[in-house]
């Protein structure tokens, strides 16, 4: 065991024991669209401006906040970083790093990775299409395959048939996973460390798209007992069928900023679950 004996320089200006000193955080250029979280307030947003002393972030609701460029002042993908002012625009042909629709840094020329044994199941075709549009580039690089379920009534049998293991983890995204619901009770019945069931609070994946992205003030209230999609189309005066309405909605989604945070967190959690610590 290594002794915690003071080093010869302990009597200098810094009297903090070595094991309590914070390691220097990596410096990261505050490039436009970089998504970070400010450590003291928890404000999360994309960089829209940066000068010598401050950085301006825009969150998913369009709110702007200005923060000082303090050492270890931000979190990037869960780890502390020190944001610095970006260098001048590079010469032609060497532009800024581009980002995927999910906000991740794109890997130029990256090929799709061989599919992992693990999978992510989502409840419904529309859910799968939305996940593909926003996270598709990331999923291909990670070798993650997304499949859709017609429903989760038989989730226990689906999990048993899949046979999850440490190298073949399963993630499941469920609609309307709120305490006391049928979906909640079914999810609670899954007890396997290699299976992660998460959900979003929306009655349908349509509602995970911000109304502003679709050009409406809010998603309509549909009376209980009516088909929600049909009720929405009727209230908004959209012609049927609902499949055509969904394509209209999906076409307005550009990236993660057009989605409600209630969906972003669960999907990112699932991707981490099936990739971290597993082999391809």
């Amino acid at each position: 065991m290594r002794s915690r004996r003071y080093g010869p320089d302990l009597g200098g200006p810094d009297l903090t024991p070595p094991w309590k000193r914070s390691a220097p955080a990596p410096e990261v250029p505050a490039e436009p669209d970089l998504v970070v979280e400010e450590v003291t307030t928890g404000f999360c947003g994309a960089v829209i401006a940066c000068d010598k002393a401050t950085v301006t972030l825009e969150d998913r609701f369009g709110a702007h906040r200005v923060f000082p460029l303090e050492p270890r002042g931000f979190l990037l993908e869960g780890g502390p970083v020190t944001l610095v002012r970006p260098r001048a625009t590079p010469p032609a042909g060497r532009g800024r790093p581009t980002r995927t629709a999910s906000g991740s840094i794109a890997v130029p020329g990256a090929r799709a990775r061989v599919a992992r044994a693990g999978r992510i199941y989502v409840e419904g075709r529309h859910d799968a299409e939305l996940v593909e549009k926003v996270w598709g580039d990331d999923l291909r690089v990670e070798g993650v395959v997304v499949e859709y379920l017609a429903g989760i009534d038989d989730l226990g049998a689906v999990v048993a048939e899949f046979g999850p293991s440490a190298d073949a983890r399963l993630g499941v995204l469920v609609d309307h996973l709120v305490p006391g619901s049928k979906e909640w009770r079914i999810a609670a019945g899954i007890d396997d460390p290699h299976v992660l069931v998460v959900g979003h609070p929306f009655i349908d994946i349509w509602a995970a798209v911000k109304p502003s992205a679709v050009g409406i003030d809010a998603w309509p209230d549909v009376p209980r007992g009516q088909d929600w999609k049909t009720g929405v189309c009727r209230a908004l005066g959209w012609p049927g069928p609902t499949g055509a309405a969904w394509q209209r909605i999906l076409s307005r989604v550009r990236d993660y900023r057009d989605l409600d945070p209630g969906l972003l967190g669960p999907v990112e959690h699932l991707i981490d679950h099936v990739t971290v610590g597993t082999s391809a």
Side-chain angles (χ1 to χ4, degrees), residues 240-265:
T242 56
W246 167 243
Q247 292 306 315
R248 173 179 181 170
I249 297 168
L250 187 63
S251 69
R252 301 297 295 272
V253 175
R254 300 161 299 175
D255 55 34
Y256 72 95
R257 287 170 290 191
D258 292 324
L259 301 181
D260 189 283
L263 177 65
L264 299 175

Side-chain angles (χ1 to χ4, degrees), residues 35 44-45 58-63 210 256-257 259-261 264-265:
V35 179
C44 183
E58 179 184 62
D59 72 6
R60 299 182 180 106
F61 304 102
K210 290 181 179 178
Y256 72 95
R257 287 170 290 191
L259 301 181
D260 189 283
L264 299 175

Side-chain angles (χ1 to χ4, degrees), residues 8-279:
D9 62 343
L10 194 57
D14 186 0
L15 300 180
T16 305
W19 62 89
K20 289 188 177 181
R21 296 174 190 167
S22 298
E27 292 188 349
V28 176
E31 299 281 1
D33 294 331
L34 178 71
V35 179
V36 294
E37 178 182 341
E38 203 276 329
V39 295
T40 58
T41 63
F43 186 91
C44 183
V47 173
I48 60 171
C50 183
D51 57 28
K52 292 182 179 180
T54 65
V55 62
T56 303
L57 304 182
E58 179 184 62
D59 72 6
R60 299 182 180 106
F61 304 102
H64 293 182
R65 294 280 296 275
V66 179
F67 298 101
L69 293 175
E70 297 286 353
R72 301 177 65 89
F74 300 86
L75 298 178
L76 176 62
E77 298 181 353
V81 297
T82 297
L83 290 187
V84 296
R85 190 179 186 183
R87 294 182 180 180
T89 303
R94 298 179 59 189
R96 299 190 183 102
T98 58
R99 296 189 175 274
T100 66
S102 71
S104 301
I105 296 177
V107 182
R111 294 183 178 181
R113 187 175 183 175
V114 175
R116 297 173 181 267
R119 291 289 187 274
I120 292 177
Y121 288 167
V122 298
E123 191 184 3
R125 286 186 180 274
H126 294 177
D127 304 60
E129 290 174 355
L130 186 59
V131 169
E132 162 61 27
K133 181 158 188 179
V134 176
W135 286 273
D137 290 339
D138 301 346
L139 294 168
R140 280 182 284 277
V141 169
E142 293 290 348
V144 177
V145 175
V146 176
E147 301 180 9
Y148 80 91
L149 297 172
I152 67 164
D153 289 352
D154 298 322
L155 185 58
V158 170
V159 171
E161 182 179 357
F162 180 82
S165 67
D167 290 323
R169 297 180 182 178
L170 178 62
V172 184
L173 179 68
V174 179
D175 287 347
H176 201 228
L177 190 62
V178 295
S181 66
K182 177 191 72 174
E183 293 81 4
W184 181 272
R185 292 190 294 272
I186 293 173
I190 304 299
D191 184 18
D192 189 311
H194 307 305
V195 179
L196 175 65
V197 181
V198 299
H200 56 72
F202 312 106
I203 191 170
D204 190 274
I205 197 68
W206 290 19
V209 179
K210 290 181 179 178
S212 58
V214 186
I216 59 177
D217 293 330
W219 289 106
D221 290 327
V222 178
R224 182 182 296 272
Q226 290 187 22
D227 177 73
W228 191 82
K229 293 185 178 74
T230 301
V232 165
C233 290
R234 183 180 297 117
L236 295 176
W238 291 353
T242 56
W246 167 243
Q247 292 306 315
R248 173 179 181 170
I249 297 168
L250 187 63
S251 69
R252 301 297 295 272
V253 175
R254 300 161 299 175
D255 55 34
Y256 72 95
R257 287 170 290 191
D258 292 324
L259 301 181
D260 189 283
L263 177 65
L264 299 175
V267 174
E268 296 285 354
H269 196 183
L270 288 178
I271 295 174
D272 288 344
H273 172 73
V274 300
T275 58
V276 175
T278 62
S279 59

